[in-house]
Each structure stands twice: as structure tokens, then as C-alpha cells.
């Protein structure tokens, strides 16, 4: 009797399991006994679990974005022109990469990682918020400093210091920005009136990139590399304040957002036969704007989200890639991942194992 | 200086019509030039230096001649133009058919280049007071080359 009870309890607790051998990867972290080898350490993340694994997948997906060529796809004869069938042409067609990020990341050191990508034309379209633009320009005029999350607000206000998380931006930096930008708006207004230039946010940003003329700025490199920077919410930041004040001094500057939405959506729609990939840091406007544009081409082929948003409140910022699939913003067949991590940690590590290491390899092989 | 009757000249040919003053020092009920119009300030608010750049003064003002509301935002360290606003009293001699008034100046000559004011209340007061035969003294405000009757004084029966 006791034996029967014992064996039924035994079989309940020790329920026979399905073997995962060969189906799933084994969890194995980095062994520091092999020394501190950073590339190996980063590669070990894929099998470390939790968000490390997600970051490992993100690295994989970005590498796929970078490696894909049209030559990898079979030719669908009826749809192709003669040029499109040419193998060397097909080898040259790469994935179009959309990079989106929020302004706090530009206040942080991730700005320099972004600048590296733009400098070497590793991304094709940028979407960001107004802060994402002005913080980059202001850093060329005066630096941002490291502070602390716990610094009291009233104290900081009395010292003229603005806090962004644990970073500090002195008011004076914005004064310098105002002094720099207002004459540029005057010039632009003159060109609008005399040469019939119709400004759009992306044209304005290209102009600012040209004017800042500083190699530490990603906007400067975007101007040089002809990479469009879209910022449909251009008025929501210090730049918007400057437009507001400028309109009192000399009114009449017009900025057309309609032209820019044509341009942005066209980037997605006319990308074909290229595949498209999205790398989006943070949520909010940049995340949605890029996804929405890709909806116009029935969805992106690759998507990497790095953000700390949660989906329980139904926000778009916290939504997983699968939600975007339901909208047609990402294809059902796409390779996607969401890394739940602060981009200041995840993104430089991701770039190290993707864009930067590929470039180092290319440079070495050329050397 | 010619003494032609209908020749209008600014009273002091050499002096400027405005003078500069730092925006941060202009207060409510003071005067300011906005978009070339002389105005009386009805509201001033200052925003401290911050994300929008330098500290700024936001002025809401009323054009002293046509009562239009105008506003301006100026950095507080910036200089604004402040109009010289003069008030002179003249005795009302006559009102012509086409709406011009004839005023007695200090030196005994007449000043005939001003029209009746457009403000209805003031207009009625002047017309009815004049018809009643009262001795009326009008207050003329001048700024930046423009003049207008803006107040009425009754100096009592003859």
C-alpha cells in the first residue's frame, strides 16, 4: 500500500520530461578562467539567459541586417528588370536601416555611438525628438556634466542647473544655443522670402548640421553623408522655444511637415527591392514614426527594440514587436527582438559586436 | 520755421522720438514700441533663464492711438525702444464740418490739423460740450509723429 502511494507521488514530482537536448541552446555563462576577453564575453551573452540572451539575439539580428544582400534572395523572374537580375547589382543591394532614438540618449554618451554610425554611413534614415537634435548641437557649444539622480530640484534651479536623470545641463548652455541659432533662423527666413525656399524639419536639421560644422556632432555627419534626420515633433523642445521667440522678433518663418511625411514614408515605400531594418532605442515618437512608415511597405523585415517600456498599460512605447506585426508595421516573417534594457548599457555593446567589429574587419582586410 | 496754417511739423526737429531702455526695467503702465507702434504696457511677465535660453520679458501692451492689443517677447537684457509721449492741453475753439478741430495754442495761434477722436464716448462729450457752449480744454497726446485728442477738461462756464 505504502509502495503504491510512494510510487504515485514519485511519478507526480518526478514527471518525465521532454528532452530539450538538440532543440534548445544550453545555458552557459562566460568562464573568466579564460581571461578577460571582451568579444568572447559579449558573445557569451547569447547563452547567459534573460536580457543578456535578448541582447545576444539583437546582435545576431543586426548582423543579419548588415550581411543581407539582394543576391541572397531567389529571383522572381516576372517581377525583375534586367538590371535587377544582374548578380553584381544584387550583391550591391543592402538592407535599409532606420535608426530611432529619444533625446535622453543624446544627452548621454550614446550620442557618440550614434555619431560613429552616422559618420560611417552605417544607417540610412534617422528619426528622433527635438531634444535628440538640440542636445547634440548644444554639446558642441558647451558640455553636459555627470550629476546624480538624487540632487534636489529646488537647489538645482537656484544654481541654474537642469537635471536629465543623473546628468546636468547648465542654463547657460541653452543661452549659448539661443545666441547661435537665432541668426540662423534669420538667414533661413531671408532665404524663404527671397529664394522661395520652403523649409521642412529635415531641411532645417540638415542646415543646422551644416552650420554647426563640428565633427563631434551626429547632425554634422548626417548633413555630410546626406542622411535625412526626421523630427516631426520639431517644436517640442528648446528648438521650439527658439522658433517661438524668433516669431516675435521677426515673424514669418514657415516649416512644412507635410513634405517631410512624404519624404519619410517614401524612404520606406521606395526601399524595395532592399529589405528594411529598424533599430529603435527608447519609445515615444521615434519608435512609432519609424514603425508607421514601414507599415506603408507592409512591414519591416528586421526589428530590434531596446527600451524599458512595459506593455501592461497598452502604450505604444511598451509594445513588443509582435504588437507591431498585428498592425502590419513588421512582417510576420521578420526577425525581431526586444531587449528590456537601458540603451546606455545595451547599445554600445551591440554596436561593438555588429557595426564596429564588421568595420574593423573590413579595415583589417583592406590593410 | 514756416507758419503755414496746415503745415505739420514735429515739435522738436532735432530730438528723437524714442529712447532705448533695457527690457527688464520696463514696468506695467510704462510705454514701449512694438512693431513700430507706441504702446502702453498693461502686462509684463519675466521668464527666468532656462531651457528656452536667456531670461525673457513678455509684454502685453495697447497701442495708444488705435487701442489694438500687441504683444512682444524680448530678452530682458535687450534694449527696447520707449516712445517719448507728450501731453499738451489746448483750448477748443471750433469744430469744422469735416471733423477737424481748431485749437488755441499757447502763443495765440491756432492748430487746425487734428481730427476729432474716434473713441465714441469722448467724441460725444466733446460735441455736446461744444454745442452747449462750454469752454473745453482738450488734452492732446503725441508720440512718434502721431497726435490724438485723448481726454477732455471742462474749465467751467464763461
Amino acid at each position: 500500500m505504502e509502495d503504491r502511494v510512494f510510487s504515485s507521488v514519485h511519478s507526480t514530482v518526478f514527471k518525465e520530461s521532454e528532452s530539450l537536448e538538440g532543440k534548445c541552446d544550453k545555458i552557459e555563462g562566460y568562464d573568466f578562467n579564460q581571461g578577460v576577453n571582451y568579444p568572447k564575453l559579449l558573445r557569451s551573452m547569447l547563452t547567459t539567459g534573460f536580457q543578456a540572451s535578448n541582447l545576444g539575439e539583437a546582435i545576431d539580428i543586426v548582423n543579419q541586417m548588415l550581411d543581407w544582400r539582394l543576391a541572397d534572395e531567389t529571383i522572381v523572374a516576372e517581377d525583375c528588370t534586367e538590371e535587377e537580375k544582374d548578380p553584381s547589382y544584387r550583391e550591391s543591394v543592402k538592407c535599409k536601416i532606420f535608426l530611432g532614438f529619444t533625446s535622453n540618449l543624446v544627452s548621454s554618451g550614446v550620442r557618440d555611438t550614434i555619431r560613429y554610425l552616422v559618420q560611417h554611413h552605417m544607417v540610412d534614415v534617422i528619426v528622433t525628438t527635438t531634444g535628440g537634435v538640440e542636445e547634440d548641437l548644444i554639446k558642441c557649444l558647451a558640455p553636459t556634466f555627470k550629476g546624480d539622480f538624487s540632487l534636489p530640484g529646488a537647489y538645482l534651479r537656484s544654481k541654474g542647473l537642469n537635471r536629465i536623470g543623473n546628468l546636468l545641463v547648465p542654463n547657460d548652455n541653452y543661452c549659448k544655443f539661443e545666441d547661435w541659432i537665432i541668426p540662423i533662423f534669420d538667414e533661413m527666413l531671408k532665404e524663404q522670402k527671397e529664394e522661395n525656399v520652403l523649409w521642412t524639419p529635415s531641411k532645417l536639421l540638415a542646415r543646422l548640421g551644416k552650420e554647426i560644422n563640428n565633427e563631434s556632432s551626429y547632425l554634422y555627419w548626417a548633413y555630410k553623408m546626406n542622411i535625412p534626420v526626421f523630427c516631426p515633433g520639431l517644436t517640442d523642445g528648446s528648438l521650439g522655444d527658439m522658433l517661438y521667440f524668433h516669431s516675435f522678433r521677426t515673424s514669418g518663418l514657415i516649416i512644412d511637415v507635410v513634405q517631410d511625411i512624404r519624404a519619410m514614408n517614401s524612404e520606406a515605400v521606395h526601399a524595395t527591392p532592399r529589405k528594411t531594418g529598424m533599430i529603435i532605442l527608447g519609445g515615444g515618437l521615434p519608435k512609432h514614426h519609424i514603425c508607421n512608415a514601414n507599415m506603408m511597405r507592409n512591414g519591416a523585415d528586421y526589428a530590434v527594440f531596446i527600451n524599458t517600456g512595459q506593455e501592461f498599460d497598452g502604450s505604444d512605447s511598451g509594445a513588443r514587436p509582435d504588437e507591431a506585426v498585428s498592425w502590419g508595421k513588421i512582417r510576420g516573417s521578420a526577425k525581431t527582438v526586444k531587449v528590456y534594457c537601458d540603451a546606455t548599457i545595451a547599445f554600445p555593446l551591440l554596436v561593438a559586436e555588429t557595426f564596429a567589429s564588421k568595420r574593423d574587419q573590413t579595415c583589417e582586410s583592406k590593410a | 520755421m514756416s507758419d503755414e496754417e496746415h503745415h505739420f511739423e514735429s515739435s522738436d526737429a532735432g530730438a528723437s522720438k524714442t529712447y532705448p531702455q533695457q527690457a527688464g526695467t520696463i514696468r506695467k503702465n510704462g510705454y514701449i514700441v512694438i512693431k513700430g507702434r507706441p504702446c502702453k504696457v498693461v502686462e509684463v511677465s519675466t521668464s527666468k533663464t532656462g531651457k528656452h535660453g536667456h531670461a525673457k520679458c513678455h509684454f502685453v501692451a495697447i497701442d495708444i492711438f488705435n487701442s489694438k492689443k500687441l504683444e512682444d517677447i524680448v530678452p530682458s537684457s535687450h534694449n527696447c525702444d520707449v516712445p517719448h509721449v507728450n501731453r499738451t492741453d489746448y483750448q477748443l475753439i471750433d469744430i469744422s464740418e469735416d471733423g477737424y478741430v481748431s485749437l488755441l495754442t499757447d502763443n495765440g495761434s491756432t492748430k487746425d490739423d487734428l481730427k476729432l477722436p474716434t473713441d465714441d464716448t469722448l467724441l460725444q462729450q466733446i460735441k455736446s460740450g461744444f454745442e452747449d457752449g462750454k469752454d473745453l480744454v482738450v488734452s492732446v497726446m503725441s508720440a512718434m509723429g502721431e497726435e490724438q485728442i485723448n481726454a477732455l477738461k471742462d474749465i467751467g462756464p464763461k
Side-chain angles (χ1 to χ4, degrees), chain A residues 88-126:
Chain A
S88 60
Y89 167 78
R90 291 178 84 79
E91 265 306 310
S92 74
V93 174
K94 300 195 228 176
C95 179
K96 186 173 213 176
I97 299 182
F98 291 78
L99 175 66
F101 46 86
T102 48
S103 97
N104 54 342
L105 294 171
V106 180
S107 303
S108 79
V110 172
R111 175 241 198 181
D112 303 301
T113 310
I114 293 168
R115 190 259 309 140
Y116 171 83
L117 295 179
V118 180
Q119 180 180 9
H120 299 292
H121 210 325
M122 293 163 162
V123 295
D124 300 289
V125 181
I126 293 176

mmCIF file of all heavy atoms in Angstrom, chain A residues 88-126:
data_model
loop_
_atom_site.group_PDB
_atom_site.id
_atom_site.type_symbol
_atom_site.label_atom_id
_atom_site.label_comp_id
_atom_site.label_asym_id
_atom_site.label_seq_id
_atom_site.Cartn_x
_atom_site.Cartn_y
_atom_site.Cartn_z
ATOM 1 N N SER A 88 25.965 41.200 -59.984
ATOM 2 C CA SER A 88 26.781 42.185 -59.274
ATOM 3 C C SER A 88 25.894 43.286 -58.705
ATOM 4 O O SER A 88 26.162 43.822 -57.631
ATOM 5 C CB SER A 88 27.857 42.777 -60.189
ATOM 6 O OG SER A 88 27.242 43.406 -61.286
ATOM 7 N N TYR A 89 24.801 43.611 -59.412
ATOM 8 C CA TYR A 89 23.836 44.563 -58.859
ATOM 9 C C TYR A 89 23.235 43.983 -57.584
ATOM 10 O O TYR A 89 23.136 44.652 -56.555
ATOM 11 C CB TYR A 89 22.747 44.881 -59.892
ATOM 12 C CG TYR A 89 21.558 45.597 -59.310
ATOM 13 C CD1 TYR A 89 21.609 46.955 -59.020
ATOM 14 C CD2 TYR A 89 20.368 44.905 -59.014
ATOM 15 C CE1 TYR A 89 20.525 47.613 -58.472
ATOM 16 C CE2 TYR A 89 19.283 45.559 -58.467
ATOM 17 C CZ TYR A 89 19.362 46.900 -58.195
ATOM 18 O OH TYR A 89 18.286 47.539 -57.643
ATOM 19 N N ARG A 90 22.859 42.711 -57.645
ATOM 20 C CA ARG A 90 22.207 42.081 -56.500
ATOM 21 C C ARG A 90 23.141 42.005 -55.292
ATOM 22 O O ARG A 90 22.700 42.028 -54.149
ATOM 23 C CB ARG A 90 21.688 40.688 -56.879
ATOM 24 C CG ARG A 90 20.527 40.753 -57.862
ATOM 25 C CD ARG A 90 20.050 39.361 -58.259
ATOM 26 N NE ARG A 90 19.103 38.800 -57.299
ATOM 27 C CZ ARG A 90 17.814 39.128 -57.232
ATOM 28 N NH1 ARG A 90 17.306 40.001 -58.058
ATOM 29 N NH2 ARG A 90 17.034 38.555 -56.327
ATOM 30 N N GLU A 91 24.436 41.897 -55.574
ATOM 31 C CA GLU A 91 25.398 41.879 -54.477
ATOM 32 C C GLU A 91 25.493 43.239 -53.811
ATOM 33 O O GLU A 91 25.878 43.356 -52.652
ATOM 34 C CB GLU A 91 26.809 41.524 -55.007
ATOM 35 C CG GLU A 91 27.165 40.055 -54.912
ATOM 36 C CD GLU A 91 27.002 39.483 -53.512
ATOM 37 O OE1 GLU A 91 27.513 40.096 -52.542
ATOM 38 O OE2 GLU A 91 26.361 38.422 -53.368
ATOM 39 N N SER A 92 25.178 44.276 -54.591
ATOM 40 C CA SER A 92 25.356 45.622 -54.047
ATOM 41 C C SER A 92 24.145 46.117 -53.270
ATOM 42 O O SER A 92 24.231 47.104 -52.566
ATOM 43 C CB SER A 92 25.647 46.594 -55.190
ATOM 44 O OG SER A 92 24.446 46.834 -55.914
ATOM 45 N N VAL A 93 23.010 45.442 -53.395
ATOM 46 C CA VAL A 93 21.792 45.930 -52.732
ATOM 47 C C VAL A 93 21.750 45.434 -51.294
ATOM 48 O O VAL A 93 21.703 44.234 -51.037
ATOM 49 C CB VAL A 93 20.532 45.469 -53.494
ATOM 50 C CG1 VAL A 93 19.275 45.868 -52.713
ATOM 51 C CG2 VAL A 93 20.492 46.102 -54.876
ATOM 52 N N LYS A 94 21.760 46.399 -50.361
ATOM 53 C CA LYS A 94 21.807 46.044 -48.936
ATOM 54 C C LYS A 94 20.514 46.445 -48.240
ATOM 55 O O LYS A 94 19.660 47.116 -48.801
ATOM 56 C CB LYS A 94 22.965 46.793 -48.264
ATOM 57 C CG LYS A 94 24.314 46.476 -48.856
ATOM 58 C CD LYS A 94 25.410 46.939 -47.924
ATOM 59 C CE LYS A 94 26.459 47.714 -48.683
ATOM 60 N NZ LYS A 94 27.467 48.254 -47.773
ATOM 61 N N CYS A 95 20.438 46.064 -46.974
ATOM 62 C CA CYS A 95 19.257 46.372 -46.173
ATOM 63 C C CYS A 95 19.259 47.868 -45.827
ATOM 64 O O CYS A 95 20.302 48.463 -45.570
ATOM 65 C CB CYS A 95 19.327 45.532 -44.895
ATOM 66 S SG CYS A 95 17.958 45.813 -43.786
ATOM 67 N N LYS A 96 18.071 48.463 -45.810
ATOM 68 C CA LYS A 96 17.969 49.878 -45.446
ATOM 69 C C LYS A 96 17.671 49.949 -43.956
ATOM 70 O O LYS A 96 16.694 49.371 -43.488
ATOM 71 C CB LYS A 96 16.832 50.515 -46.233
ATOM 72 C CG LYS A 96 16.713 52.016 -46.054
ATOM 73 C CD LYS A 96 15.679 52.551 -47.005
ATOM 74 C CE LYS A 96 16.017 53.935 -47.466
ATOM 75 N NZ LYS A 96 15.084 54.444 -48.453
ATOM 76 N N ILE A 97 18.521 50.668 -43.245
ATOM 77 C CA ILE A 97 18.378 50.665 -41.783
ATOM 78 C C ILE A 97 17.835 51.999 -41.276
ATOM 79 O O ILE A 97 18.382 53.066 -41.569
ATOM 80 C CB ILE A 97 19.731 50.351 -41.111
ATOM 81 C CG1 ILE A 97 20.196 48.964 -41.554
ATOM 82 C CG2 ILE A 97 19.600 50.425 -39.596
ATOM 83 C CD1 ILE A 97 21.489 48.513 -40.929
ATOM 84 N N PHE A 98 16.746 51.920 -40.503
ATOM 85 C CA PHE A 98 16.154 53.082 -39.850
ATOM 86 C C PHE A 98 16.626 53.083 -38.393
ATOM 87 O O PHE A 98 16.450 52.085 -37.688
ATOM 88 C CB PHE A 98 14.622 52.986 -39.848
ATOM 89 C CG PHE A 98 13.978 53.136 -41.194
ATOM 90 C CD1 PHE A 98 13.970 52.088 -42.102
ATOM 91 C CD2 PHE A 98 13.353 54.327 -41.545
ATOM 92 C CE1 PHE A 98 13.366 52.234 -43.349
ATOM 93 C CE2 PHE A 98 12.737 54.465 -42.789
ATOM 94 C CZ PHE A 98 12.745 53.421 -43.691
ATOM 95 N N LEU A 99 17.209 54.202 -37.951
ATOM 96 C CA LEU A 99 17.644 54.300 -36.556
ATOM 97 C C LEU A 99 16.812 55.350 -35.839
ATOM 98 O O LEU A 99 16.707 56.485 -36.303
ATOM 99 C CB LEU A 99 19.132 54.685 -36.497
ATOM 100 C CG LEU A 99 19.706 54.937 -35.094
ATOM 101 C CD1 LEU A 99 19.719 53.665 -34.270
ATOM 102 C CD2 LEU A 99 21.121 55.511 -35.178
ATOM 103 N N GLY A 100 16.197 54.951 -34.729
ATOM 104 C CA GLY A 100 15.408 55.912 -33.964
ATOM 105 C C GLY A 100 15.898 55.952 -32.525
ATOM 106 O O GLY A 100 16.337 54.940 -31.983
ATOM 107 N N PHE A 101 15.844 57.137 -31.912
ATOM 108 C CA PHE A 101 16.278 57.241 -30.508
ATOM 109 C C PHE A 101 15.640 58.464 -29.877
ATOM 110 O O PHE A 101 15.270 59.419 -30.549
ATOM 111 C CB PHE A 101 17.804 57.327 -30.386
ATOM 112 C CG PHE A 101 18.439 58.291 -31.345
ATOM 113 C CD1 PHE A 101 18.560 59.644 -31.034
ATOM 114 C CD2 PHE A 101 18.920 57.858 -32.575
ATOM 115 C CE1 PHE A 101 19.130 60.544 -31.925
ATOM 116 C CE2 PHE A 101 19.495 58.740 -33.473
ATOM 117 C CZ PHE A 101 19.598 60.086 -33.144
ATOM 118 N N THR A 102 15.556 58.412 -28.528
ATOM 119 C CA THR A 102 14.942 59.513 -27.788
ATOM 120 C C THR A 102 16.017 60.494 -27.317
ATOM 121 O O THR A 102 17.211 60.187 -27.354
ATOM 122 C CB THR A 102 14.183 58.971 -26.572
ATOM 123 O OG1 THR A 102 15.029 58.052 -25.878
ATOM 124 C CG2 THR A 102 12.923 58.246 -27.021
ATOM 125 N N SER A 103 15.581 61.655 -26.823
ATOM 126 C CA SER A 103 16.538 62.724 -26.548
ATOM 127 C C SER A 103 17.452 62.444 -25.368
ATOM 128 O O SER A 103 18.606 62.876 -25.350
ATOM 129 C CB SER A 103 15.809 64.050 -26.365
ATOM 130 O OG SER A 103 15.608 64.331 -25.014
ATOM 131 N N ASN A 104 16.953 61.703 -24.370
ATOM 132 C CA ASN A 104 17.811 61.423 -23.209
ATOM 133 C C ASN A 104 19.083 60.685 -23.624
ATOM 134 O O ASN A 104 20.151 60.859 -23.030
ATOM 135 C CB ASN A 104 17.050 60.648 -22.137
ATOM 136 C CG ASN A 104 16.418 59.381 -22.690
ATOM 137 O OD1 ASN A 104 16.242 59.215 -23.887
ATOM 138 N ND2 ASN A 104 16.092 58.463 -21.808
ATOM 139 N N LEU A 105 18.975 59.876 -24.682
ATOM 140 C CA LEU A 105 20.149 59.128 -25.119
ATOM 141 C C LEU A 105 21.181 60.047 -25.759
ATOM 142 O O LEU A 105 22.387 59.778 -25.706
ATOM 143 C CB LEU A 105 19.728 58.017 -26.084
ATOM 144 C CG LEU A 105 18.878 56.951 -25.394
ATOM 145 C CD1 LEU A 105 18.293 55.982 -26.385
ATOM 146 C CD2 LEU A 105 19.701 56.211 -24.352
ATOM 147 N N VAL A 106 20.700 61.131 -26.368
ATOM 148 C CA VAL A 106 21.646 62.067 -26.964
ATOM 149 C C VAL A 106 22.304 62.904 -25.868
ATOM 150 O O VAL A 106 23.456 63.303 -26.002
ATOM 151 C CB VAL A 106 20.949 62.962 -28.005
ATOM 152 C CG1 VAL A 106 21.914 63.943 -28.634
ATOM 153 C CG2 VAL A 106 20.339 62.098 -29.091
ATOM 154 N N SER A 107 21.575 63.146 -24.774
ATOM 155 C CA SER A 107 22.195 63.815 -23.636
ATOM 156 C C SER A 107 23.289 62.941 -23.054
ATOM 157 O O SER A 107 24.301 63.437 -22.551
ATOM 158 C CB SER A 107 21.159 64.114 -22.552
ATOM 159 O OG SER A 107 20.111 64.880 -23.077
ATOM 160 N N SER A 108 23.087 61.621 -23.153
ATOM 161 C CA SER A 108 24.074 60.686 -22.599
ATOM 162 C C SER A 108 25.194 60.463 -23.594
ATOM 163 O O SER A 108 25.207 60.999 -24.700
ATOM 164 C CB SER A 108 23.407 59.347 -22.284
ATOM 165 O OG SER A 108 23.259 58.588 -23.483
ATOM 166 N N GLY A 109 26.140 59.618 -23.223
ATOM 167 C CA GLY A 109 27.267 59.321 -24.098
ATOM 168 C C GLY A 109 26.902 58.480 -25.305
ATOM 169 O O GLY A 109 27.722 58.295 -26.207
ATOM 170 N N VAL A 110 25.683 57.966 -25.361
ATOM 171 C CA VAL A 110 25.256 57.191 -26.534
ATOM 172 C C VAL A 110 25.292 58.070 -27.783
ATOM 173 O O VAL A 110 25.400 57.583 -28.913
ATOM 174 C CB VAL A 110 23.856 56.576 -26.292
ATOM 175 C CG1 VAL A 110 23.292 55.931 -27.539
ATOM 176 C CG2 VAL A 110 23.912 55.572 -25.159
ATOM 177 N N ARG A 111 25.267 59.385 -27.546
ATOM 178 C CA ARG A 111 25.368 60.324 -28.687
ATOM 179 C C ARG A 111 26.608 60.031 -29.508
ATOM 180 O O ARG A 111 26.590 60.112 -30.752
ATOM 181 C CB ARG A 111 25.424 61.756 -28.146
ATOM 182 C CG ARG A 111 25.657 62.833 -29.199
ATOM 183 C CD ARG A 111 26.914 63.586 -28.924
ATOM 184 N NE ARG A 111 26.985 64.871 -29.633
ATOM 185 C CZ ARG A 111 28.023 65.685 -29.550
ATOM 186 N NH1 ARG A 111 29.036 65.376 -28.795
ATOM 187 N NH2 ARG A 111 28.034 66.823 -30.227
ATOM 188 N N ASP A 112 27.712 59.671 -28.831
ATOM 189 C CA ASP A 112 28.961 59.432 -29.547
ATOM 190 C C ASP A 112 28.910 58.128 -30.320
ATOM 191 O O ASP A 112 29.524 58.004 -31.384
ATOM 192 C CB ASP A 112 30.135 59.486 -28.557
ATOM 193 C CG ASP A 112 30.180 60.814 -27.829
ATOM 194 O OD1 ASP A 112 30.289 61.854 -28.527
ATOM 195 O OD2 ASP A 112 30.061 60.839 -26.587
ATOM 196 N N THR A 113 28.150 57.140 -29.795
ATOM 197 C CA THR A 113 27.963 55.904 -30.544
ATOM 198 C C THR A 113 27.148 56.185 -31.797
ATOM 199 O O THR A 113 27.452 55.687 -32.889
ATOM 200 C CB THR A 113 27.224 54.856 -29.674
ATOM 201 O OG1 THR A 113 27.851 54.760 -28.416
ATOM 202 C CG2 THR A 113 27.227 53.499 -30.352
ATOM 203 N N ILE A 114 26.113 56.994 -31.642
ATOM 204 C CA ILE A 114 25.271 57.364 -32.780
ATOM 205 C C ILE A 114 26.107 58.104 -33.819
ATOM 206 O O ILE A 114 26.009 57.862 -35.028
ATOM 207 C CB ILE A 114 24.085 58.236 -32.317
ATOM 208 C CG1 ILE A 114 23.129 57.419 -31.445
ATOM 209 C CG2 ILE A 114 23.338 58.817 -33.513
ATOM 210 C CD1 ILE A 114 22.101 58.242 -30.707
ATOM 211 N N ARG A 115 26.946 58.999 -33.336
ATOM 212 C CA ARG A 115 27.777 59.785 -34.263
ATOM 213 C C ARG A 115 28.669 58.876 -35.082
ATOM 214 O O ARG A 115 28.853 59.066 -36.286
ATOM 215 C CB ARG A 115 28.590 60.817 -33.474
ATOM 216 C CG ARG A 115 29.300 61.849 -34.333
ATOM 217 C CD ARG A 115 30.767 61.554 -34.524
ATOM 218 N NE ARG A 115 31.410 61.315 -33.247
ATOM 219 C CZ ARG A 115 32.318 60.396 -33.023
ATOM 220 N NH1 ARG A 115 32.734 59.591 -33.984
ATOM 221 N NH2 ARG A 115 32.842 60.259 -31.823
ATOM 222 N N TYR A 116 29.200 57.830 -34.454
ATOM 223 C CA TYR A 116 30.044 56.868 -35.162
ATOM 224 C C TYR A 116 29.271 56.211 -36.304
ATOM 225 O O TYR A 116 29.777 56.103 -37.427
ATOM 226 C CB TYR A 116 30.544 55.815 -34.166
ATOM 227 C CG TYR A 116 31.262 54.636 -34.792
ATOM 228 C CD1 TYR A 116 32.611 54.708 -35.126
ATOM 229 C CD2 TYR A 116 30.593 53.441 -35.037
ATOM 230 C CE1 TYR A 116 33.272 53.624 -35.690
ATOM 231 C CE2 TYR A 116 31.239 52.348 -35.602
ATOM 232 C CZ TYR A 116 32.582 52.436 -35.924
ATOM 233 O OH TYR A 116 33.217 51.363 -36.488
ATOM 234 N N LEU A 117 28.033 55.818 -36.026
ATOM 235 C CA LEU A 117 27.234 55.143 -37.050
ATOM 236 C C LEU A 117 26.940 56.074 -38.220
ATOM 237 O O LEU A 117 26.972 55.680 -39.384
ATOM 238 C CB LEU A 117 25.907 54.655 -36.455
ATOM 239 C CG LEU A 117 25.989 53.584 -35.375
ATOM 240 C CD1 LEU A 117 24.597 53.240 -34.876
ATOM 241 C CD2 LEU A 117 26.685 52.340 -35.878
ATOM 242 N N VAL A 118 26.647 57.341 -37.896
ATOM 243 C CA VAL A 118 26.290 58.284 -38.957
ATOM 244 C C VAL A 118 27.533 58.661 -39.756
ATOM 245 O O VAL A 118 27.503 58.762 -40.982
ATOM 246 C CB VAL A 118 25.640 59.548 -38.352
ATOM 247 C CG1 VAL A 118 25.256 60.525 -39.438
ATOM 248 C CG2 VAL A 118 24.419 59.168 -37.551
ATOM 249 N N GLN A 119 28.641 58.835 -39.030
ATOM 250 C CA GLN A 119 29.901 59.232 -39.667
ATOM 251 C C GLN A 119 30.312 58.241 -40.749
ATOM 252 O O GLN A 119 30.845 58.625 -41.782
ATOM 253 C CB GLN A 119 30.967 59.318 -38.573
ATOM 254 C CG GLN A 119 32.340 59.707 -39.033
ATOM 255 C CD GLN A 119 33.306 59.768 -37.857
ATOM 256 O OE1 GLN A 119 32.976 59.352 -36.735
ATOM 257 N NE2 GLN A 119 34.477 60.304 -38.086
ATOM 258 N N HIS A 120 30.034 56.970 -40.492
ATOM 259 C CA HIS A 120 30.439 55.952 -41.458
ATOM 260 C C HIS A 120 29.269 55.441 -42.287
ATOM 261 O O HIS A 120 29.336 54.359 -42.849
ATOM 262 C CB HIS A 120 31.156 54.819 -40.718
ATOM 263 C CG HIS A 120 32.389 55.292 -40.021
ATOM 264 N ND1 HIS A 120 33.509 55.722 -40.686
ATOM 265 C CD2 HIS A 120 32.649 55.453 -38.700
ATOM 266 C CE1 HIS A 120 34.418 56.114 -39.806
ATOM 267 N NE2 HIS A 120 33.921 55.965 -38.593
ATOM 268 N N HIS A 121 28.216 56.224 -42.348
ATOM 269 C CA HIS A 121 27.047 55.932 -43.184
ATOM 270 C C HIS A 121 26.549 54.501 -42.965
ATOM 271 O O HIS A 121 26.254 53.771 -43.917
ATOM 272 C CB HIS A 121 27.370 56.137 -44.670
ATOM 273 C CG HIS A 121 26.180 56.556 -45.470
ATOM 274 N ND1 HIS A 121 24.900 56.099 -45.212
ATOM 275 C CD2 HIS A 121 26.056 57.393 -46.520
ATOM 276 C CE1 HIS A 121 24.045 56.642 -46.066
ATOM 277 N NE2 HIS A 121 24.723 57.435 -46.873
ATOM 278 N N MET A 122 26.462 54.100 -41.705
ATOM 279 C CA MET A 122 26.035 52.738 -41.405
ATOM 280 C C MET A 122 24.536 52.637 -41.226
ATOM 281 O O MET A 122 23.994 51.541 -41.109
ATOM 282 C CB MET A 122 26.743 52.257 -40.128
ATOM 283 C CG MET A 122 28.245 52.103 -40.360
ATOM 284 S SD MET A 122 29.076 52.028 -38.775
ATOM 285 C CE MET A 122 30.634 51.309 -39.272
ATOM 286 N N VAL A 123 23.863 53.795 -41.181
ATOM 287 C CA VAL A 123 22.403 53.798 -41.118
ATOM 288 C C VAL A 123 21.892 54.712 -42.231
ATOM 289 O O VAL A 123 22.642 55.574 -42.710
ATOM 290 C CB VAL A 123 21.867 54.268 -39.739
ATOM 291 C CG1 VAL A 123 22.255 53.294 -38.653
ATOM 292 C CG2 VAL A 123 22.348 55.655 -39.421
ATOM 293 N N ASP A 124 20.644 54.513 -42.628
ATOM 294 C CA ASP A 124 20.137 55.241 -43.788
ATOM 295 C C ASP A 124 19.157 56.356 -43.459
ATOM 296 O O ASP A 124 19.076 57.350 -44.188
ATOM 297 C CB ASP A 124 19.465 54.253 -44.755
ATOM 298 C CG ASP A 124 20.424 53.203 -45.247
ATOM 299 O OD1 ASP A 124 21.315 53.557 -46.043
ATOM 300 O OD2 ASP A 124 20.324 52.036 -44.814
ATOM 301 N N VAL A 125 18.374 56.184 -42.392
ATOM 302 C CA VAL A 125 17.376 57.192 -42.019
ATOM 303 C C VAL A 125 17.406 57.328 -40.500
ATOM 304 O O VAL A 125 17.513 56.331 -39.800
ATOM 305 C CB VAL A 125 15.960 56.759 -42.453
ATOM 306 C CG1 VAL A 125 14.927 57.820 -42.072
ATOM 307 C CG2 VAL A 125 15.898 56.491 -43.949
ATOM 308 N N ILE A 126 17.317 58.572 -40.023
ATOM 309 C CA ILE A 126 17.276 58.789 -38.563
ATOM 310 C C ILE A 126 15.972 59.472 -38.189
ATOM 311 O O ILE A 126 15.525 60.399 -38.883
ATOM 312 C CB ILE A 126 18.466 59.670 -38.126
ATOM 313 C CG1 ILE A 126 19.766 58.893 -38.337
ATOM 314 C CG2 ILE A 126 18.338 60.088 -36.665
ATOM 315 C CD1 ILE A 126 20.994 59.693 -38.031
#
